[in-house]
Amino acid sequence: MYGMVNKAVEDMVRKGHGDDAWDRIKEAAGVDTDIFISNDSYTDDITYRLVDAASHVLGAPAEEILKAFGEHWVLHTAQDGYGSLMQAGGGSLPEFLLNLPNFHTRVQMIFPNLQPPTFECGELTERSLLLHYRTHRPGLANFVIGLLQGLGKRFGTQVTVTRADRREDGASHDTFRVEWTPPGG
């Protein structure tokens, strides 16, 4: 993963729990990197270790850490790092979700070694869709739930996310039922 991901974990922890908590998490994870460089590649293992250590140090399940991280990613990291791409993604939650494949194509121009997940929308209705999520990285479904919740907040849209299919239960990929109430609806 790019250093931008680990920097975002650090930012989330420091903002929510302080510098001391971040230092304890790094120590528990066995990570001695002082500064993550956004455009440098780091092993996925570092990120997984940081999430696991954050779970232990903060006393929260890893699933909740990942959800909080997904929300932080949308509301802070992505907005600060590539806000114009976020704006170009659409003006509403459903429009943004339908444009996710194009979004990752644009992000790959900035990060050429990026190995992004793929997203595909199906069963679109006026207030819901089924989001297919495929990735080679295990265990990130709760991060996606956090991303979707963050997008709901970004667009001022109440969103409910439920997992329809789980990769860890033998499905070929994860799917999420995303339901929303339009702003003012």
Side-chain angles (χ1 to χ4, degrees):
M1 289 189 213
Y2 275 98
M4 184 178 198
V5 173
N6 298 326
K7 282 180 70 159
V9 172
E10 176 181 0
D11 183 59
M12 178 187 77
V13 170
R14 286 185 189 274
K15 283 181 177 174
H17 304 279
D19 296 340
D20 184 55
W22 174 246
D23 292 339
R24 291 191 334 258
I25 288 167
K26 276 186 19 178
E27 183 179 340
V31 174
D32 61 0
T33 303
D34 288 327
I35 299 172
F36 292 105
I37 308 299
S38 291
N39 291 345
D40 282 359
S41 292
Y42 297 83
T43 64
D44 290 357
D45 180 61
I46 290 173
T47 308
Y48 285 111
R49 290 188 345 240
L50 288 170
V51 169
D52 185 56
S55 173
H56 290 18
V57 169
L58 302 177
E63 295 81 13
E64 294 305 314
I65 300 291
L66 286 167
K67 285 178 188 175
F69 181 47
E71 195 170 300
H72 181 86
W73 183 268
V74 167
L75 298 175
H76 301 284
T77 308
Q79 190 59 41
D80 295 344
Y82 33 84
S84 60
L85 289 178
M86 292 290 287
Q87 290 175 347
S92 68
L93 176 67
E95 184 181 2
F96 192 91
L97 294 176
L98 290 168
N99 283 324
L100 269 175
N102 296 330
F103 179 79
H104 279 115
T105 299
R106 290 185 203 119
V107 172
Q108 279 185 291
M109 289 184 219
I110 300 168
F111 298 101
N113 295 323
L114 182 70
Q115 297 175 351
T118 61
F119 292 95
E120 179 185 334
C121 296
E123 299 181 24
L124 180 64
T125 72
E126 187 177 309
R127 293 181 181 246
S128 71
L129 58 75
L130 190 65
L131 183 67
H132 297 265
Y133 164 67
R134 293 174 178 87
T135 182
H136 68 280
R137 294 182 171 101
L140 296 178
N142 285 295
F143 175 69
V144 174
I145 292 171
L147 291 172
L148 294 166
Q149 291 169 338
L151 285 168
K153 287 181 179 181
R154 182 179 191 280
F155 291 109
T157 302
Q158 184 178 349
V159 65
T160 303
V161 181
T162 53
R163 289 182 69 189
D165 296 301
R166 297 169 183 262
R167 195 167 136 194
E168 64 264 23
D169 292 340
S172 63
H173 63 280
D174 291 294
T175 57
F176 304 89
R177 170 72 52 202
V178 183
E179 299 173 287
W180 59 84
T181 303

